[in-house]
Amino acid sequence: DGEASLDDIELGLREWQDTGCRLGLSFFLYLYADAAIFHKRLELADDLLGRAERFAEDSGEKFWSVGLRTLRGRLDLAHGKRDAGIAQFKDAARLAASLGHFGPLLNTIRALVELDSSPDCTAELDEIVNTATNITDAHVPALTEAALLLNSQNTTVSNES
């Protein structure tokens, strides 16, 4: 039962917080919000994401910021706000690139090309990947894979025209 599962998660989160530990709180709230979206409890998910975002901002714990932004995009999509959801995913891609979180960047790009394969979106993502590639000294397989994925999108769009 979905409601019982959400109740169990809430209880576990409260018990964990009762220990006084705060490390990783944004991640636990992220997981809870993800489950709430899955069970179509969108108001609860919005509240949980707001709490997670505030905690990340207040504590400086930004490791999950990209995931929080993409989940905010999924929540917008669940509300039927396609453009707002896509904008959140694009912001998450920019954030991931700026933080050097290239695995999450690749995952965000994969999700975005499923949502919007338009030439404009692909070009915008291409620019994000190129900028990230230019600022890192290391060979990053996730950036290479992202560039190849976007290149294949450009080829597919060109062939359809």
Side-chain angles (χ1 to χ4, degrees):
D1 172 15
E3 284 299 315
S5 298
L6 290 174
D7 290 344
D8 288 343
I9 293 170
E10 182 179 0
L11 177 62
L13 181 60
R14 261 197 321 253
E15 289 175 349
W16 176 77
Q17 285 180 290
D18 287 347
T19 68
C21 186
R22 293 174 36 99
L23 182 65
L25 179 61
S26 59
F27 177 65
F28 292 121
L29 291 168
Y30 165 92
L31 293 174
Y32 188 10
D34 186 43
I37 291 170
F38 180 80
H39 290 290
K40 307 220 182 321
R41 296 278 312 278
L42 304 184
E43 189 174 308
L44 173 62
D46 189 37
D47 177 61
L48 294 166
L49 274 172
R51 287 173 51 198
E53 290 161 343
R54 283 188 301 279
F55 177 79
E57 188 63 35
D58 293 346
S59 68
E61 185 181 280
K62 308 252 181 177
F63 187 77
W64 300 108
S65 296
V66 175
L68 292 171
R69 190 75 49 93
T70 58
L71 196 58
R72 177 68 65 191
R74 285 190 42 227
L75 181 59
D76 284 341
L77 293 171
H79 276 295
K81 300 175 184 174
R82 179 176 160 70
D83 291 343
I86 288 171
Q88 290 286 353
F89 275 82
K90 287 178 181 178
D91 286 347
R94 282 187 211 89
L95 179 60
S98 72
L99 294 172
H101 295 177
F102 301 126
L105 173 61
L106 175 59
N107 291 335
T108 303
I109 288 172
R110 285 180 179 147
L112 257 170
V113 297
E114 292 293 321
L115 293 169
D116 184 355
S117 60
S118 70
D120 288 344
C121 182
T122 303
E124 192 172 345
L125 295 174
D126 235 350
E127 185 178 318
I128 292 168
V129 170
N130 287 335
T131 300
T133 301
N134 290 336
I135 62 172
T136 185
D137 292 332
H139 170 71
V140 181
L143 291 177
T144 303
E145 188 173 337
L148 290 171
L149 175 65
L150 293 170
N151 188 37
S152 72
Q153 284 298 118
N154 286 332
T155 304
T156 302
V157 171
S158 296
N159 289 339
E160 291 173 357
S161 299

